[in-house]
């Protein structure tokens, strides 16, 4: 499933985020909260993650071929995936088999994954960056961030966790936090993306507080 990312400056849809869902023959739609954890525990996140990455790259290239040549595809990477296989090799294969330009692929890693083994992650992120792919910090603001590391990660984007977006209309604190994250990100030359925007009211507030997408 693909969730659109809208550029607030132009009003154009400029990217999508790939989200895996499981349609089970008898259980119906199994939410990711129920199967991703299990896939990580069993190691199945390896093949599942590879499949998602490859399918997302193929879809993005298809959209490029259909005339949407600047569309970027974001794919979530599980922390466990990093340790199961060489992520750079997996990414290289997905790009080669789909023909997608590396700068049109964005990998999302959560704040907590990045901070778990920050020194090791910096090495990995630098290798990925050298391949030309874009990198973003997912669920920003809910984990345990070290600002000292944040400035050392070769990242392109911060994604404001949807916990701050959900009640942004009613909660002035959420507005303040979102504005603070935007200011921090822009000063670090990073883009700011808000997750889970469902209403025009939320969109208006996020736009007024300098979110980019
Ligand atoms: Mn994400």
């Amino acid at each position: 499933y693909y969730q659109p990312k809208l550029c607030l400056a132009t009003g154009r849809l400029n990217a999508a985020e790939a989200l895996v869902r499981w349609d089970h023959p008898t259980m119906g739609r199994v939410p990711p909260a129920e199967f991703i954890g299990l896939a990580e525990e069993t190691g199945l996140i390896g093949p599942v993650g590879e499949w998602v990455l490859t399918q997302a790259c193929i879809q993005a290239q298809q959209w490029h071929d259909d005339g949407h040549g600047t569309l970027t595809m974001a794919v979530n990477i599980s922390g466990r995936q990093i340790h199961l296989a060489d992520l750079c090799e997996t990414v290289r294969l997905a790009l080669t088999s789909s023909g997608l330009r590396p700068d049109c692929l964005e990998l999302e890693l959560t704040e907590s994954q990045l901070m778990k083994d920050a020194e090791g992650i910096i090495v990995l992120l630098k290798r990925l960056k050298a391949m030309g792919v874009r990198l973003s910090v997912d669920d920003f603001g809910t984990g345990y961030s070290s600002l000292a590391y944040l400035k050392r990660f070769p990242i392109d984007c911060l994604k404001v966790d949807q916990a701050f977006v959900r009640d942004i209309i009613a909660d002035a604190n959420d507005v303040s936090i979102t504005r603070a994250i935007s200011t921090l990100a822009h000063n670090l030359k990073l883009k700011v993306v808000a997750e889970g925007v469902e209403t025009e009211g939320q969109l208006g507030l996020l736009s007024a507080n300098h979110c980019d997408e």
Side-chain angles (χ1 to χ4, degrees):
Y1 288 77
Y2 299 97
Q3 202 164 65
K5 283 163 117 180
L6 192 81
C7 172
L8 296 186
T10 62
R12 286 173 63 91
L13 197 153
N14 61 347
E17 177 178 356
L19 298 164
V20 68
R21 297 292 179 261
W22 183 10
D23 289 328
H24 189 278
T26 55
M27 293 159 72
R29 169 86 34 93
V30 184
E34 279 176 32
F35 70 86
I36 293 293
L38 200 59
E40 285 175 332
E41 242 175 74
T42 54
L44 278 172
I45 197 70
V48 169
E50 273 179 43
W51 180 81
V52 169
L53 183 66
T54 306
Q55 293 304 308
C57 288
I58 290 170
Q59 180 61 73
Q61 184 56 45
Q62 183 63 55
W63 283 332
H64 285 197
D65 293 343
D66 291 344
H68 310 285
T70 54
L71 214 106
T72 299
M73 179 63 79
V75 180
N76 296 289
I77 301 295
S78 149
R80 187 86 168 77
Q81 235 175 308
I82 294 170
H83 303 290
L84 283 169
D86 182 356
L87 185 60
C88 292
E89 194 48 34
T90 306
V91 168
R92 201 187 317 277
L93 281 172
L95 290 171
T96 312
S97 63
S98 62
L100 187 67
R101 275 167 36 204
D103 63 315
C104 291
L105 175 64
E106 182 162 318
L107 303 179
E108 298 188 0
L109 289 112
T110 66
E111 187 180 32
S112 37
Q113 285 162 17
L114 290 173
M115 295 301 165
K116 212 175 277 172
D117 165 31
E119 290 297 337
I121 288 285
I122 287 174
V123 176
L124 174 70
L125 294 185
K126 282 184 174 166
R127 284 176 64 207
L128 288 165
K129 198 70 215 156
M131 292 169 60
V133 302
R134 300 174 53 81
L135 301 168
S136 65
V137 182
D138 210 355
D139 304 339
F140 186 77
T142 52
Y144 175 70
S145 246
S146 155
L147 297 179
Y149 275 123
L150 200 60
K151 69 165 192 181
R152 289 179 56 203
F153 290 142
I155 48 174
D156 303 283
C157 168
L158 289 187
K159 293 191 75 187
V160 179
D161 193 274
Q162 52 179 295
F164 305 117
V165 175
R166 201 174 296 126
D167 300 321
I168 198 166
I169 298 293
D171 192 340
N173 289 337
D174 286 339
V175 177
S176 303
I177 290 169
T178 304
R179 193 188 309 129
I181 295 176
S182 296
T183 305
L184 172 73
H186 288 149
N187 284 322
L188 292 170
K189 308 273 185 287
L190 306 175
K191 202 172 69 176
V192 187
V193 178
E195 300 174 341
V197 184
E198 301 287 351
T199 68
E200 283 200 36
Q202 291 169 326
L203 182 69
L205 268 180
L206 292 163
S207 188
N209 288 283
H210 315 298
C211 276
D212 299 303
E213 291 183 353

